[in-house]
Amino acid sequence: MFTLDQVVPWGRSFDEYQRMFALTVDELGLRIVGDGPASFNCEATRRGATVVSCDPICRYDVGQLRARIASTYHEILDQTRRNADEFVWTIIRSVDELGRMRMAAMSEFLDDYPGGKAEGRYIDAELPSLPFVDLSFDLALCSHFLFSYTTQLGEAFHRSAIREKCRTAAEVRIFPLLALGATPSSLVAPMAAECREQGFNVSMEDVPYEFQRGGNQMMRIRRT
C-alpha cells in the first residue's frame, strides 16, 4: 500500500486543478486560496485570476525547496511503481510520465515562487490557523492534504482545519476523499456531518479527474 510518514511536496498542474475541483471559467474570476507547490497559482495568475497559496513550505527559499523536492521524488515514484494497481493509468500513462508531469509543475512553481512571494501570492501559513479575516476568499481549494493524510493528521486536526477553511472562505472544496493507499477516508462522513450541524451545505460531487483509483470525488462545503 502506498503510504507516507509525513506531508511531502508533490505538485499538480493547472489542468489537474481545474479537473480535480471541477472549476469553471467563471470561477477562476473568484478570490481563491489554495495550497502546496503546484503550478496552479502561477498559471491561474497569468490568466488574470486572484490566487493566494498558503503552505508552511513558503518559509523556505528556492534552494531549500528544490532540495526537499529532490529528497522525496525517488521515494514517491518507487512507491508508485510498487503499488501501480492503486492508480488509473489513462491520462497519465506511466510512472515515468507521472514523474515528468510532477517535476514540470513543481519547476514552474519554483520559477514563479520568488516573484509570487514578493507579491504576496505565496504565504507561509499552515492549518489549522490561517492569517486571514473571516471570508477573505470566495473559494478555498485543498488538494491531497486533508483526507489524504487521514492517519498522519488525525480527526482533531481535520476538524479544526475544515472549520478554519470555512471561516476564511465562502466555499471550500477538498479533493480527493481517499486516504493514501487509495482507501476511502474514515473521516469524510464525520466531517461532513459536523459541517451540516453547523449549518453548511455539504455535498460529495463527482469530478472529471481520477488518478488514485476511486478518487474521483470532492467534498464541497458552502454557506447556506
Side-chain angles (χ1 to χ4, degrees):
M1 177 185 292
F2 188 107
T3 188
L4 296 165
D5 295 330
Q6 59 184 344
V7 179
V8 298
W10 196 237
R12 276 82 184 175
S13 67
F14 176 85
D15 176 67
E16 287 180 291
Y17 261 68
Q18 273 198 304
R19 292 185 288 125
M20 289 187 300
F21 296 107
L23 291 170
T24 67
V25 172
D26 288 344
E27 285 172 339
L28 291 173
L30 301 175
R31 296 167 300 164
I32 300 174
V33 61
D35 53 17
S39 64
F40 176 72
N41 190 317
C42 174
E43 295 184 72
T45 298
R46 284 203 299 262
R47 290 166 166 79
T50 301
V51 180
V52 172
S53 296
C54 292
D55 200 294
I57 66 167
C58 294
R59 67 192 55 165
Y60 302 112
D61 62 29
V62 169
Q64 291 170 314
L65 289 173
R66 287 190 192 278
R68 289 198 68 192
I69 291 168
S71 70
T72 58
Y73 175 81
H74 293 292
E75 176 192 356
I76 295 174
L77 290 191
D78 180 59
Q79 282 215 52
T80 304
R81 284 191 180 91
R82 288 189 281 111
N83 298 282
D85 59 329
E86 295 179 13
F87 302 93
V88 177
W89 301 101
T90 50
I91 295 175
I92 301 173
R93 290 162 293 185
S94 68
V95 175
D96 289 338
E97 184 175 341
L98 172 68
R100 290 192 295 271
M101 285 180 61
R102 294 289 174 264
M103 287 305 291
M106 289 186 286
S107 293
E108 190 154 10
F109 158 73
L110 290 171
D111 289 343
D112 183 57
Y113 179 68
K117 193 169 183 180
E119 295 167 2
R121 291 190 287 108
Y122 296 106
I123 296 177
D124 172 13
E126 60 185 307
L127 291 167
S129 180
L130 299 177
F132 305 117
V133 300
D134 295 356
L135 295 178
S136 293
F137 301 94
D138 302 305
L139 181 58
L141 307 177
C142 184
S143 162
H144 296 86
F145 179 56
L146 295 177
F147 300 138
S148 292
Y149 292 90
T150 290
T151 301
Q152 295 86 343
L153 298 175
E155 183 172 347
F157 180 90
H158 276 74
R159 182 178 296 109
S160 298
I162 291 173
R163 284 178 179 173
E164 182 71 346
K165 281 190 167 290
C166 290
R167 180 188 69 80
T168 57
E171 180 177 329
V172 176
R173 298 181 189 179
I174 303 170
F175 177 90
L177 307 186
L178 301 179
L180 296 176
T183 58
S185 171
S186 61
L187 296 180
V188 171
M191 295 302 105
E194 180 168 311
C195 289
R196 290 184 180 115
E197 289 172 3
Q198 294 170 356
F200 291 94
N201 183 316
V202 183
S203 56
M204 313 304 161
E205 300 184 10
D206 291 347
V207 298
Y209 182 89
E210 182 182 8
F211 182 52
Q212 271 183 298
R213 192 170 298 280
N216 62 343
Q217 284 191 318
M218 68 175 174
M219 178 183 285
R220 190 176 184 187
I221 308 168
R222 290 169 287 177
R223 291 174 178 265
T224 55

